[in-house]
């Protein structure tokens, strides 16, 4: 069961209602028919970072385009595109390849739970980049980082699920868990290198859009950075769960034992929605 909108979300954007220009090139959002031909739950296999950032924005579904309309119309949008494209043009490695994977796997009308992260993983594991566009998640074949291991420990302690051998959280996203970092790109080896470059305005717009236009969502805020976004949320319409960050530096100060996964499912059941299956399937 999809999340119930507070009211019908604003009309989806079309090429006639929003167009963006960057470096003299015009990019238009995909039409509804094009979007249907390329389902949102099938992200492209090729590297999205081969495309200019404005083109990646324009490829988002009409539903997400509505959520970022105010950002795209602001000066921060062109500045962000210029910055990210300029970093790539200098030969810097930028993670992740698929910047908007979280928004492709989970459409706004499908969102049940929002888990906020900070910025993408900036490292690699045996030559494989960790980041792949979902907060806290790593691509298949990459060993789970310490924060994700603590998330698994909490799920195991509260629900009894075995600890997975991998760190890919696609399965959660496909069930309506939006795993959204507040900054969506990073330079390899340089933590927070793309912070305060414009991404925060973009993701703030998305968070506020979900809060304003949908009801009964569960927002999970771990750590001070995520909890700073509480001002964007309506506590009267949504459930807000807060705890310390799952990082090894803070997990023992209240993350472990927080019971958020149990509580989230209890709220979903109470609202007549299908609970999240937090037990990840083993890779094929």
């Amino acid at each position: 069961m999809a999340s119930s909108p507070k009211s019908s979300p604003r009309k989806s954007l079309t090429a006639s209602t929003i167009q963006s220009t960057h470096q003299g090139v015009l990019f238009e959002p995909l039409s509804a028919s094009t979007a249907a031909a390329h389902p949102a739950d099938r992200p492209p296999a090729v590297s999205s970072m081969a495309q200019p950032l404005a083109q990646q924005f324009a490829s988002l579904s009409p539903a997400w385009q509505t959520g970022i309309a105010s950002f795209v119309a602001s000066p921060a949008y062109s500045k962000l595109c210029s910055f990210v494209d300029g970093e790539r043009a200098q030969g810097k490695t930028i993670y992740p390849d698929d910047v908007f994977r979280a928004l492709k796997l989970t459409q706004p009308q499908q969102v049940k739970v929002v888990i906020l992260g900070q910025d993408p993983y900036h490292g690699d594991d045996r030559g494989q980049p960790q980041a792949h566009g979902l907060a806290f998640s790593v691509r298949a074949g990459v060993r789970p980082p310490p924060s994700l291991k603590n998330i698994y420990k909490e799920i195991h302690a509260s629900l009894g699920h075995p600890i997975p051998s991998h760190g890919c959280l696609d399965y959660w996203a496909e069930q309506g868990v939006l795993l959204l970092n507040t900054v969506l790109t990073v330079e390899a080896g340089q933590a927070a290198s793309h912070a305060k470059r414009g991404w925060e305005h973009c993701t703030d717009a998305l968070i506020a859009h979900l809060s304003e236009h949908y009801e009964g969502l569960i927002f999970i805020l771990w750590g001070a950075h995520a909890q700073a976004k509480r001002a964007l949320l309506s506590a009267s319409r949504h459930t807000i769960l807060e705890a310390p960050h799952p990082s090894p530096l803070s997990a023992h100060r209240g993350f472990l034992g927080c019971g958020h996964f149990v509580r989230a499912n209890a709220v979903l059941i109470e609202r007549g929605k299908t609970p999240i299956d937090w037990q990840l399937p083993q890779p094929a």
Side-chain angles (χ1 to χ4, degrees), residues 53-153:
L53 187 58
Q55 189 168 339
Q56 296 181 61
F57 269 105
S59 72
L60 290 171
S61 70
W64 281 125
Q65 289 277 3
T66 300
I68 61 170
S70 61
F71 170 71
V72 170
S74 73
Y77 170 73
S78 59
K79 290 179 181 178
L80 174 64
C81 290
S82 294
F83 170 71
V84 174
D85 291 345
E87 293 292 279
R88 292 187 61 250
Q90 293 179 40
K92 296 179 181 179
T93 298
I94 306 300
Y95 296 144
D97 287 344
D98 195 351
V99 174
F100 296 115
R101 184 174 180 81
L103 303 184
K104 294 174 182 177
L105 288 178
T106 313
Q107 293 300 302
Q109 65 272 19
Q110 299 169 329
V111 174
K112 297 177 181 178
V113 179
V114 180
I115 299 179
L116 293 182
Q118 190 162 348
D119 64 341
Y121 294 120
H122 60 274
D124 66 81
D125 178 38
R126 295 171 292 189
Q128 291 293 319
Q130 294 174 303
H132 73 139
L134 300 180
F136 295 104
S137 180
V138 293
R139 61 180 69 208
V142 174
R143 292 173 292 188
S147 291
L148 184 53
K149 288 181 179 179
N150 282 331
I151 291 172
Y152 288 166
K153 287 179 183 178

Side-chain angles (χ1 to χ4, degrees), residues 139-179:
R139 61 180 69 208
V142 174
R143 292 173 292 188
S147 291
L148 184 53
K149 288 181 179 179
N150 282 331
I151 291 172
Y152 288 166
K153 287 179 183 178
E154 172 59 22
I155 292 174
H156 174 71
S158 60
L159 292 169
H161 296 332
I163 293 178
S165 60
H166 65 94
C168 182
L169 305 182
D170 282 7
Y171 182 60
W172 294 357
E174 291 162 357
Q175 296 178 74
V177 180
L178 180 62
L179 297 158

Side-chain angles (χ1 to χ4, degrees), residues 38 42-51 97-98 101 104 139:
H38 300 280
R42 296 179 184 175
V46 298
S47 170
S48 298
M49 288 306 292
Q51 301 173 347
D97 287 344
D98 195 351
R101 184 174 180 81
K104 294 174 182 177
R139 61 180 69 208

